[in-house]
Amino acid sequence: MSLPLGFLIILGISHFLPAARSLSSDVVYTSEFFSQIPQQLSFYNWYGNARLFQFRVPPDTALLRWLLQASRDKTQCEDAEITVHFRHGAPPVINPLGTAFSPATRVPYSFNMTLTFTKSLNNNTFLNITNPQPGDWYIVAHLPKDPEKIQIQGFTSSCKYFFQPDLFVLREVDIPILQADTPMQKTLSQSGNSASFKMFIPEYTQELRLQLQNCTSDNARGPCPLVIRVGSVSELPSVQRTMDCNENPQCALLLHSPPWGKWLNVLVEISQGINSSVSFEIVHKTSACKPGKVVSRRSLFTLIEQELLKAAKNGSQADTNETQSLAVGSGSCLNKFPLVREDMDVVSVRFQSVKSPYVPVSAEMPSIMLLNLDSEMDNGGMLIVSLQLNKTTMGNSSGTVVACLSADSPVLSLNTSQNCSTAFSQGYALLMNSTVSDISLNIPFPVMANWYLSMQLLCPMNDSECQSLSPRVLFGSALSPCEDNCGPNGHCRLLRRNGYLYAACSCTAGWAGWSCTDSSEALSYQQQLIATLLLTLSNFMFLPTIIVAVYKFYFVEAAVYAYNMFFSTFYHACDQPGEVVMCIMDYDTLQYCDFFGSVVSIWVTILCMARLKKTLKYVLFMLGTLLIALSMQLDRRGIWNMMGPCLFALVILVIAWTYRGVRRRHCYPPSWKRWLFYLVPGISLALIALAIYVFAQTNANYFYTHSLWHIMVAGSVAFLLPPREKNKKMWDFKQLLGCRYKICHDDREELFVVT
């Protein structure tokens, strides 16, 4: 149960006060509150069992507080742990089952926390984040691993767990904006011991230098008693860049490859233990790395138009060996190759080079390509990048082509640092040489940003021949809902949370993993074949039951058993998760007919045991069948859809047998042999089958327990069918054809069993 909204606001504000005391007192703040409806949690088996929440944190947020509310419907429930994952920019990539990812997959980082219940119905937990990254934040919550016990709806009681996150935001108003090469004066005191600034990072910024100068303190002497924090918190622990001016006399911070086209937050605060006022000037400088002017604007438009016309004319017959030019203007420090973004479907994008899929790489400067994934629908799939080095263009050189994929800004110093990291994030490095020429990279749920692929040739020292090379790399990239559509052992499911769409793999036949590539517990083809044969061939145990019914002249009952056997066989042949599958019609139709036939078989069997008069029996047959068909359409998995007709038929059976027993003043059926050799074995088999169906079935042993259920139910029906009527002769075809003139029988006498 969620708490009242007004109480939550008061509770959030009261918890804000201790955290807000560390903020500056001379700054104006505004507060905002965001909430979402609670969702019922599920035990985890695949990503679709997790519950996703999306919040948008506004810019200039100084402090946010998550209120995580977990609840359960009754205290008798087990103290299950609720795991909550957090990530900025994209849904968290989680792996509660500890399965293996595909070799080319890199797992993005997300942080999490665990909520537990201590003999209570609710658990309210708070999480504070100072100076958070603005934009979309995603929360995923789930219960532990699925126990794989098959729950019978309406028969077994299960606990319900709910989760609801709420967000309190404290925003700072009128943050000063720093202009490049323009110092800004500021004074900090005990009442206002921190100051916030923000600055815009233009595109093509290579380095950012931030410095505090003219730092003076009214009481303290020596180094400047200030601490600088640059950047926002997007994960825990924080990836902010921090510098203590006590340890750095220059009080300068140098950032390589800061995020392009974004606002960068700067927080300056007085060091702990300093009780004096401090005055300082803050200034920043940027150095640009532009691709240079290769051609004029008119020439560029003409070139693009020619290439588009050429691609439309040649189609797939275009020369894929053609290479883009490496001509650059003076003063350039990178080669930028434009890509065409082609939106294909939901969470499906393809990137293609404007001129040729082959991208030239040099040792002098990096080659840059922009992958635009800044749409809200671009972070719910799998980003796939494939690179293939043309070995012939490398010759006999021992050089290495280094590629780096990073978000927000490219890596521009591969030839010196050989480190695939930007100012605030770690990129994904790829290496290609004469030995390893083909490589790929898969990133599930990439953050919503501009992604950059940097490539550069690294040569050994004093290798002039390598320096002059220009190897070609075949480039391919796409955003797909799932990797390889989850392969042959899974299904790619498109999930939705409000208006947000994302995709995940649902694995089959024991396969596991994010892309269904973990075969540690997978069923082999032989195991799948055995499981299918068990579930299908076990239905042939109804053949003896059908023969017994026909032998005893119960033709309607025999037809129902044949119907049940047929559809149960082909339903289980279609219901298999792996390769051994055969569907003769729609899966939903087969499932409906199987469930419907099972319940009707039980209905007619119990009514047949009641030994009612023909007219009444067949009226009840038809009426019950129609009502069962209706109930199966409403909810075919409810246990009372099966138990209801069974209990009603048992009531009729008890009334009929009691009436005969009282009328005859003798136990009915009167023969002890009937009880000992037929009724007791039949009832025992039925009870054992019911116990297996309700209590013993799990996902792991389903093939065996459900096959045993088929066998026992069919055997119990064969035992429970009453003997044929006393006035029926064995295979008297005149009786089968009905009355003909003088060949008539008086059926008005009471039917009873004599054994």
Side-chain angles (χ1 to χ4, degrees), residues 574-619:
C574 184
D575 189 44
Q576 298 310 302
E579 303 177 54
V580 188
V581 180
M582 186 183 70
C583 297
I584 62 172
M585 58 181 69
D586 182 67
Y587 174 83
D588 188 70
T589 303
L590 289 172
Q591 185 186 68
Y592 177 86
C593 293
D594 173 48
F595 289 16
F596 172 72
S598 300
V599 180
V600 173
S601 297
I602 299 174
W603 171 255
V604 299
T605 301
I606 299 178
L607 289 182
C608 182
M609 294 172 61
R611 304 303 293 267
L612 304 173
K613 291 187 177 182
K614 286 186 177 181
T615 303
L616 178 60
K617 182 175 75 169
Y618 292 125
V619 167

Side-chain angles (χ1 to χ4, degrees), residues 542-558:
F542 271 98
L543 284 176
T545 304
I546 296 172
I547 295 174
V548 171
V550 172
Y551 174 78
K552 296 180 179 181
F553 291 94
Y554 297 122
F555 299 111
V556 175
E557 291 82 347

